[in-house]
Amino acid sequence: MDFSKLKGHIYFQDKFIKSVDAKIHVLNHSLHFATSVFEGIAVYNKIPFLSEDHFKRLINSSKLLKLKFNLSIRRLEKISEILIRKNKIINGYIRPIIFRSSNSMSPETRDCYTIFAMASWEWGKLFKKRSISLDISKWPKLSNKEFPIEAKSSGSYQASVISKAELNRKKYDDCLMLDLKKNVAESTACNVFWVKNKKIFTPKTHSILNGITRQAVIEICRKKKIKVVEGDFKLDTIMGSDHVFLTGTAAELQLVNKIKSKKFSIESSILNELIFEFQNIKKLNLKNLKSISKS
Ligand code: PMP
């Protein structure tokens, strides 16, 4: 799909305009210096899912990238509601993005102003298969010591984009990325979890995007009294596990059947329970993670 030909409306610079008319110049600062921040929010049955948490992360990402931005969560929610209505989205995706104008072609940003846009489109799941296979990327995920990795920023996707471009598509669907100390980090656009002896393991957040879906799964486990261990884990830990799955807004809970040549079972009562609980939460279509504990 060519997104520059997206039908319907987009919120751009304080107003709703036709998507095809939302244009920026090639000498845009964020295009050259990779400093935009954005979000991906799922829409289920016309309602954005966990929108408050996504907009909170968007505002935090803008602060980390020193972008001046002052729209409130409430205002962002209102814009997304209008956009869904205008574009008649039933099950889809919302993409808000904050970036800099074209008033500088160097890292100096004093003369730049902030541009905000929000788009939406009908969309299904990221992977169209019940389970997927993973290669291991040679590109490391940087940590929060080198880079504001907790921001969902365009700059933090470079290793993911190169990894995906290098992937052998005949053999693998995606790849697992390690951090600078060769601990398991995440996939190109999802968080990773694995199961061993009915316990769930997932990397700590220093070298990953702390996914909203990741946090929801941890919350579900807490509610269901399933033990979750967050830590620094070498590759042999995940390779020796019973089951592996990814989480993300567009992937939801995605089963993994293979990493390199190591196969994993995708049949498990614990995975079924988590998927069932996640589907229930989707049906409730919550505004924020706090509601999961109450639901
Ligand atoms: N890690 C990366 C690198 C991602 O791009 C995403 C997708 N936003 C995730 C993790 C999962 O985050 P979320 O559950 O908030 O979509």
Side-chain angles (χ1 to χ4, degrees):
M1 154 146 189
D2 179 351
F3 281 93
S4 69
K5 298 196 171 70
L6 187 71
K7 293 204 170 76
H9 290 82
I10 209 164
Y11 185 83
F12 186 66
Q13 306 258 62
D14 305 327
K15 50 184 186 292
F16 291 94
I17 59 169
K18 280 192 181 153
S19 295
V20 287
D21 294 334
K23 297 208 164 75
I24 54 163
H25 199 272
V26 288
L27 296 179
N28 173 269
H29 190 272
S30 291
L31 179 64
H32 290 246
F33 296 96
T35 57
S36 67
V37 297
F38 60 97
E39 270 302 321
I41 307 169
V43 178
Y44 298 125
N45 199 16
K46 304 185 194 168
I47 299 170
F49 182 50
L50 299 174
S51 56
E52 194 176 315
D53 301 287
H54 281 283
F55 287 133
K56 215 180 262 177
R57 185 169 69 185
L58 179 71
I59 289 169
N60 190 45
S61 297
S62 74
K63 285 192 185 124
L64 288 161
L65 273 282
K66 315 287 178 208
L67 283 148
K68 292 173 211 127
F69 184 69
N70 55 18
L71 293 190
S72 66
I73 292 179
R74 189 62 217 116
R75 178 81 190 118
L76 291 166
E77 282 176 338
K78 191 77 214 156
I79 295 167
S80 65
E81 281 160 25
I82 298 170
L83 198 61
I84 289 169
R85 216 177 318 126
K86 274 187 179 291
N87 288 337
K88 301 187 173 58
I89 304 292
I90 313 256
N91 292 300
Y93 190 76
I94 302 174
R95 166 59 57 85
I97 181 161
I98 307 171
F99 56 103
R100 289 191 167 89
S101 61
S102 307
N103 300 68
S104 163
M105 274 290 109
S106 80
E108 175 60 72
T109 59
R110 273 180 299 190
D111 293 336
C112 290
Y113 58 88
T114 299
I115 303 176
F116 172 66
M118 197 188 292
S120 73
W121 57 90
E122 268 308 301
W123 204 26
K125 272 187 80 172
L126 181 63
F127 299 101
K128 311 286 178 229
K129 304 169 169 179
R130 174 143 192 261
S131 66
I132 57 160
S133 56
L134 301 179
D135 194 4
I136 296 168
S137 171
K138 67 176 191 221
W139 299 99
K141 289 289 306 190
L142 301 184
S143 85
N144 53 13
K145 292 207 178 85
E146 289 87 32
F147 192 77
I149 197 81
E150 56 270 61
K152 189 169 165 75
S153 71
S154 51
S156 72
Y157 277 90
Q158 288 173 7
S160 291
V161 170
I162 304 169
S163 301
K164 200 95 191 193
E166 288 177 350
L167 198 62
N168 179 348
R169 304 288 174 144
K170 287 196 185 121
K171 284 175 81 177
Y172 302 106
D173 299 298
D174 204 343
C175 46
L176 186 65
M177 307 181 73
L178 308 179
D179 70 15
L180 284 172
K181 294 185 176 152
K182 303 240 182 277
N183 294 309
V184 176
E186 60 183 347
S187 76
T188 57
C190 289
N191 293 119
V192 64
F193 287 80
W194 56 99
V195 186
K196 178 80 182 170
N197 299 334
K198 302 216 179 315
K199 267 194 234 162
I200 309 262
F201 296 83
T202 197
K204 279 185 178 167
T205 56
H206 53 70
S207 301
I208 63 169
L209 182 73
N210 186 5
I212 308 291
T213 324
R214 174 188 183 274
Q215 295 170 55
V217 166
I218 293 173
E219 203 50 53
I220 292 171
C221 290
R222 219 165 267 152
K223 223 180 108 191
K224 292 271 137 195
K225 306 221 179 324
I226 300 168
K227 183 147 178 57
V228 181
V229 186
E230 291 180 68
D232 289 331
F233 302 107
K234 298 288 180 234
L235 206 46
D236 58 349
T237 328
I238 190 168
M239 290 307 211
S241 70
D242 304 325
H243 314 283
V244 180
F245 63 97
L246 305 180
T247 64
T249 296
E252 300 184 355
L253 268 73
Q254 176 65 51
L255 303 174
V256 173
N257 56 46
K258 198 169 77 163
I259 302 177
K260 285 281 190 194
S261 58
K262 173 74 174 60
K263 294 195 169 136
F264 297 95
S265 155
I266 53 166
E267 303 306 331
S268 124
S269 53
I270 203 163
L271 290 185
N272 289 344
E273 187 179 358
L274 289 178
I275 292 169
F276 178 80
E277 286 299 322
F278 187 76
Q279 293 306 323
N280 274 345
I281 285 170
K282 255 177 68 179
K283 275 185 213 143
L284 291 172
N285 210 340
L286 307 173
K287 249 179 80 175
N288 59 47
L289 285 166
K290 271 181 252 144
S291 324
I292 293 181
S293 335
K294 289 185 214 137
S295 64

